[in-house]
Amino acid sequence: QCLNQQYRDKNSPTNVLSFPSELPTLMQAHESDDQQGDPQDDMPAGLRVLGDIVICPDVVINESVEQKKAPYDHWAHMVIHSTFHLFGMDHISENDANTMESLEIQLLSQLGIANPYEALSGQRQ
């Protein structure tokens, strides 16, 4: 609730918040003797830190009960949903919402999880 108030000016708890990274793309460390042991040595060139995701377990569990969804399925949806936010997608406009939801549905389907929006009767997450 505090994070939602601070970053979205909404004084209520929320299921998930995404915070896109402001870090530059991480590049492989230079191959020099003075950088041996650098933790980035094993990272592929161009690895991108997308950002942070904060999930409120109580809200996600309560939503899964209210929406009659398996908790695992709803958790998976929240992780996928918030990751799309980190890629810059949103659901402010109807067109953007449809695009984002379609991709979420496709990925969840690959995990054997049903369309999470069918049970919501047109409500947006």
Side-chain angles (χ1 to χ4, degrees):
Q1 183 170 342
C2 291
L3 291 173
N4 204 25
Q5 174 66 43
Q6 181 177 354
Y7 292 99
R8 298 178 66 224
D9 201 28
K10 295 185 179 190
N11 192 21
S12 61
T14 189
N15 50 19
V16 64
L17 293 169
S18 301
F19 297 94
S21 174
E22 295 178 7
L23 296 174
T25 301
L26 296 175
M27 301 304 285
Q28 270 185 316
H30 297 283
E31 296 182 30
S32 66
D33 293 338
D34 62 335
Q35 290 190 356
Q36 285 185 345
D38 187 324
Q40 293 188 38
D41 284 346
D42 295 327
M43 288 189 196
L47 179 66
R48 182 174 175 208
V49 175
L50 295 176
D52 296 306
I53 296 171
V54 179
I55 299 175
C56 180
D58 291 342
V59 173
V60 172
I61 291 166
N62 288 338
E63 286 177 347
S64 68
V65 171
E66 291 168 5
Q67 297 172 15
K68 297 177 177 52
K69 296 177 181 176
Y72 172 87
D73 294 357
H74 193 48
W75 274 93
H77 180 212
M78 292 299 93
V79 170
I80 289 170
H81 182 87
S82 58
T83 301
F84 279 130
H85 280 305
L86 293 179
F87 278 110
M89 300 182 83
D90 64 48
H91 39 81
I92 295 170
S93 75
E94 186 72 23
N95 188 47
D96 289 346
N98 290 336
T99 298
M100 188 170 169
E101 289 174 11
S102 176
L103 291 169
E104 290 173 10
I105 292 164
Q106 288 175 22
L107 286 176
L108 289 165
S109 175
Q110 291 176 15
L111 297 173
I113 299 172
N115 177 348
Y117 295 104
E118 284 181 350
L120 295 178
S121 304
Q123 295 176 5
R124 300 267 185 242
Q125 295 260 342

